[in-house]
Amino acid sequence: MRAVQITERIVRRVLSTAAGLLILAVVGLGLAAHLGVSGYSLSLLRGTTAQLGKLAAGQRTEELTLDAAVFPETHRLRAHARLKLRSLRNQRRHFYFLLNDGLAIHHASVVGSSIHPSVYQLWMVTVIDVGRPLAADETIELDLDYDGQPDLGGVGLGAGIMDARDVLLNVDDFWYPSDVQSFFSADVSISL
């Protein structure tokens, strides 16, 4: 009986210690994410974007055609983007982008195909699985429909404005390809 009580105490202490460490880790990660996103910790933000750059290596945005409608009275934006992407590596299937976390992609398709790519959005990182591996130097065109309230997103590179009198959209308010390896052409049309 006494041995069972001692074992129960030890198990409780181990579990409570593990729970406490888990809570501290979650709080620490949350604080680190807040410091990086808000710009208070530039080294953390730099490290995070460097990791995203490693994921995005091997892809290149060739062209972006964007048609967006802005509704200042509701602070909403609705857009259709066509992206021409080039795979720089053999067997590339996933493409990575940054997108304001106040926006959500509702529909994705591959131009000229019946393939509907899978889209995963985790905070600002958007991952698009095109459904098949691409060969090196192969291009693919994606159509993406999305909408939302960009001013509700957690991050802005600059203070965008969307009210009845003034509208000022920054690139991170409507679309931000993370491809920093090269330049690409963009045809952007925004209507109120």
Side-chain angles (χ1 to χ4, degrees), residues 7 19 26 53 62 67 83 88 103 105 111 118 126 129 133 148 185 189:
T7 304
V26 168
E62 299 277 319
D67 186 18
L83 286 160
L88 301 178
L103 302 172
I105 296 176
V111 176
S118 300
T126 300
D129 179 348
S185 62
S189 169

Side-chain angles (χ1 to χ4, degrees), residues 2-192:
R2 180 95 173 129
V4 171
Q5 290 175 340
I6 292 173
T7 304
E8 284 179 5
R9 284 186 200 160
I10 291 172
V11 169
R12 283 187 195 143
R13 285 188 181 164
V14 167
L15 289 176
S16 66
T17 302
L21 291 173
L22 181 63
I23 290 170
L24 284 174
V26 168
V27 169
L29 287 172
L31 180 62
H34 171 71
L35 290 174
V37 166
S38 63
Y40 291 119
S41 175
L42 294 178
S43 59
L44 187 61
L45 183 60
R46 194 176 310 124
T48 303
T49 54
Q51 291 304 317
L52 182 61
K54 288 178 185 176
L55 286 174
Q59 73 183 47
R60 184 169 55 220
T61 303
E62 299 277 319
E63 296 175 17
L64 166 67
T65 303
L66 179 69
D67 186 18
V70 177
F71 304 92
E73 64 280 356
T74 59
H75 300 267
R76 294 195 70 81
L77 179 138
R78 184 178 61 231
H80 173 82
R82 177 169 283 183
L83 286 160
K84 183 177 181 183
L85 306 168
R86 181 174 303 280
S87 172
L88 301 178
R89 291 186 185 154
N90 204 19
Q91 300 296 309
R92 181 158 199 100
R93 183 181 172 132
H94 298 94
F95 290 86
Y96 299 85
F97 303 97
L98 295 177
L99 182 63
N100 185 297
D101 57 328
L103 302 172
I105 296 176
H106 298 291
H107 178 76
S109 62
V110 175
V111 176
S113 171
S114 62
I115 297 174
H116 291 283
S118 300
V119 177
Y120 307 98
Q121 288 184 265
L122 176 64
W123 185 47
M124 290 176 44
V125 178
T126 300
V127 181
I128 300 175
D129 179 348
V130 296
R132 66 175 180 85
L134 300 179
D137 209 36
E138 183 179 352
T139 61
I140 191 167
E141 287 188 66
L142 299 177
D143 278 338
L144 305 169
D145 294 315
Y146 58 96
D147 70 358
Q149 294 179 293
D151 55 345
L152 294 181
V155 170
L157 297 176
I161 300 169
M162 194 184 304
D163 61 33
R165 292 189 57 208
D166 299 304
V167 174
L168 173 65
L169 294 175
N170 298 302
V171 70
D172 61 312
D173 289 327
F174 55 87
W175 184 261
Y176 187 76
S178 63
D179 181 7
V180 294
Q181 296 96 351
S182 64
F183 295 100
F184 58 89
S185 62
D187 181 8
V188 178
S189 169
I190 299 180
S191 58
L192 292 174

